[in-house]
Amino acid sequence: MIDKKIIEELVQILGKDNVLTSKAERICYSYDATQQSFLPEVILQPGSTEEIALVMKLANRELIPVFPRGAGSGFTGGSLPTKGGIVLCTEQMDQILEIDEENLVATVEPGVVTERFQKAVEKVGLFYPPDPASLKFSTLGGNVAECAGGPRCVKYGVTKDFIIGLEVVTPTGDIITTGGPTMKGVVGYDLTKLLCGSEGTLGIITRIVIKLLPLPEAKKTMLVLFDSIDGAAQAVSAITRNKIIPTTLEFMDGRTIECVRQATDLDLPEAAQAVLIIEVDGDREFLDKQVNRIAEIIKPLGVVETRIATTPEESEALWQIRRSVSASLRKVNPDKFNEDICVPRSKVPEMIRKVDAIADKYQIPIVNFGHAGDGNIHVNIMVNKKVSGDIMKAEGAIKDVFKATLELGGTMSGEHGVGIAKAPYIPLEITPIAAEYMKAIKKALDPNNILNPGKIFLDSLED
Amino acid sequence: MAKLKKLEDYRDEIERCVKCGACRAHCPAFDAERREGRVARGKIALANSILEGEVGLEPKVLEDLSQCLLCGSCCAGCPNKVHTEDIVAAARRQIAEERGLSTFGKGVATVLGRPKLMNLLAKSGGSLSSILFKKLPKNSGLNLRFPAPYLEKGRTLPPITAKPFRERVPEVIPGDSQQPTVLFFTGCGINYMYPAVGEAFLNALNFLGVTVIVPKDQACCGLPAVSAGATKTIESLADQNLAAINRHNFDYIVTACASCNSGLGNIYAEMGDEFKEMSAKVMDIFVFLARHGLPEKLEALPKSEQRIKVTYHDPCHLRNQGITKEPRQILKALPQVEFVEMPDAGTCCGLGGTYSVYHYEHTKRIAARKAGNIESSGAELVATDCPGCIMQLQDGINHAEGTQRALHILELLAEALPE
């Protein structure tokens, strides 16, 4: 319980305007993209690392839970204030502090919106590849905390592959830095990697050191329609077997194509049962050659049609097909559970077949699309929450999907994290001993279990 | 009788918001402060809480709901196409109903609801004078200032014409009997501030041989009242306009103001069956001109040797209807124009009805960004299709100390057409 005295203390630390307590404001910070909602007691909008450290000290003294939050766009409830307490927003700390063109390194505050950062570095010919679907509004702090992915990860890797240093406020209110602006560094444990994807349970990220690449000169997009999902999956394997790693390799299954067909007037012939959107980047003269080579490799694999964009507008038109998926799914059913499982790339067709069987078993539509290049499939279980029994069916289907994923050597989450949405399923993937190992780290760093309690693991430590 | 929907009627629309946060990337009001209450997702949560009785109409709620330009940018960028602008407008009506209209809202309702008063104000010394605007010594021919506290200092406004457009022209301007008949819904901007745009409208349609009807008794479309939450004013204006329009026979109702286009074409359509037929006939001037062969006729004119660089600003009320191609098509076809695209041409200019009155500082920030984009395009002129946007764009440019001029595409068209 946060009493008046504590609020006064918080106001002293942060100033009146940055301590929000009205019911209206609390409602506005009670949700994220999971569509669940928990009312916090107070929202803080700190402007500096030092303020956050003071808040954490106070929270430890008074045993108040603190829930860090970026843009609140997560899909697994990682930032939800499940136990009331404090929502601590880092989005007011939104300065790009430095773009070091000599060392190809940038330093930013956590509240910088991902796309803004990408545009800023691209202006000087540099490149930050991670591109989560939410890049226009999610913050870099949130991306690091959840280790966000995106279509370009096939070639470049995920967020953690670009984070080389952090400044962090520890759960007990100390300020530490990890890693730094050097490409190499092996002194001590790699806390940077530990914190990337720790879902805000081990520290509050207050500064991020990011490795950059030179901006590729150009990119080229192609859309390939296949007569079966197997053809598309074999194409993915064939491309990689031929030592070509495209920037992106997005796929849509037959059900997804059907949704898009029904919801838009985009041109997708009936014979198309799977789609791959393939993009390559690099030197201009090299791209035509690479695209033609890909077209040749995949030709025998049931290709219905290949479209190659020759202008940015044509490329945009091809991507439009992929972008229209989300909205078109609503035609199937109003509500969805979006799971982001990841399997070894070669197992994608087998996984899709298993998901189709699960859809049949529960008599519930399941639509698959995602990042074929890295085996990350967005399994969308479409339900109508108003229809009784639909949620039960979805829960059964989700569990079956996770089991099938793990049987194929995959993981339950490629990029959304665990949060509260996947916490019940953790024992399916992580053995009790490995879970204890992880919890020991949490306990050592956050003895009072103040920071983002109840996330990742169901049996939170204070119980 | 016109009947607007209640907040209660938007429950399904509210439920369709999945709180993904995509609106954060598109909301100009959110961009100014970055707080959840300012963005569509937050406003929908608040609207829902009002319906559920979880919050009353307390100051924080009112403040957040006032922070919306009703520009629809969030809806354009929303994966589920949730119309937050309609939800906020309905919430404002409920607020006005329960708490009464704000003082400024009352002013808006009084003036808009009484066309005679508007005419009188326009005639009294060429300004809307005592009730809303106060004419101060001007630095240039265009500088007027709003009196505090509702209208803050330093705002540039166009002069109010001494003789409104509709009083300058006959009610029917006959054309070729083979051509369609158009009813010109002028809107207040053209009638009182930009009569030259109205004249250019008539020239363009005359050039195509189109018969034009300009009903004298048409009223304001009511959009400023939508922004203020003045339910009765909007409903009564809709009834007045329906009666004025139904007196005539015509093929299309054509507008040269994006807001009027949306008001008549979209908002009225929701107000009862008797409006549906009328709303279906509403068409933007450039859509009309493009469909009736004007671009081809313009292309046939010899290109000027020295062309002027012009960029285009998409008014929200057209962009949201997907009308982005036709205005550009006409601009590009003009013989004296070299068209250049500016960055983010589709983002709101920042006017947003009463928003810019209550939140002028935020408005200025939004307009400053727009002015920067106009500057970076290298254009000398920024053309658009909405008098409200023209006013706001010019204000933004003036604050940024830019040299560009904002004008209606019709003004450029008038220059190009043969006498």
Side-chain angles (χ1 to χ4, degrees), chain A residues 17-18 20 22-25 27-29 31-35 45 69-73 75 91-92 94 111-113 116 136-137 139 326-327 330 334 386, chain B residues 12 15-26 30 33-37 39 41-43 45-46 49 54-55 58 60-61 64 78-81 344:
Chain A
D17 287 347
N18 300 311
L20 318 181
S22 74
K23 182 82 180 279
E25 288 162 324
I27 285 171
C28 287
Y29 287 89
Y31 50 72
D32 70 356
T34 52
Q35 297 192 69
Q45 302 203 301
R69 178 183 164 110
S73 55
F75 275 114
E91 64 177 335
Q92 302 289 332
D94 67 346
V112 175
V113 170
R116 186 182 140 220
K136 282 178 192 290
F137 46 98
T139 63
S326 261
R330 287 189 55 82
K386 286 180 182 155
Chain B
D12 284 349
E15 247 180 52
R16 276 190 15 226
C17 169
V18 294
K19 306 279 190 293
C20 68
C23 44
R24 293 166 71 97
H26 304 283
F30 173 68
E33 262 191 320
R34 299 188 65 182
R35 286 196 172 171
E36 272 292 329
V39 80
R41 181 170 68 162
K43 293 195 178 79
L46 290 176
S49 301
E54 288 164 6
V55 290
E58 54 205 58
K60 291 276 185 198
V61 176
D64 282 338
C78 170
N80 284 349
K81 298 284 169 252
D344 296 330

Side-chain angles (χ1 to χ4, degrees), chain A residues 114 117-118 121 126-130 140 152 159 162-163 210 212:
Chain A
T114 309
F117 177 66
Q118 284 183 341
V121 299
L126 295 173
F127 187 37
Y128 174 67
L140 284 165
R152 292 202 290 236
T159 302
F162 291 84
I163 307 305
I210 301 171
L212 299 168

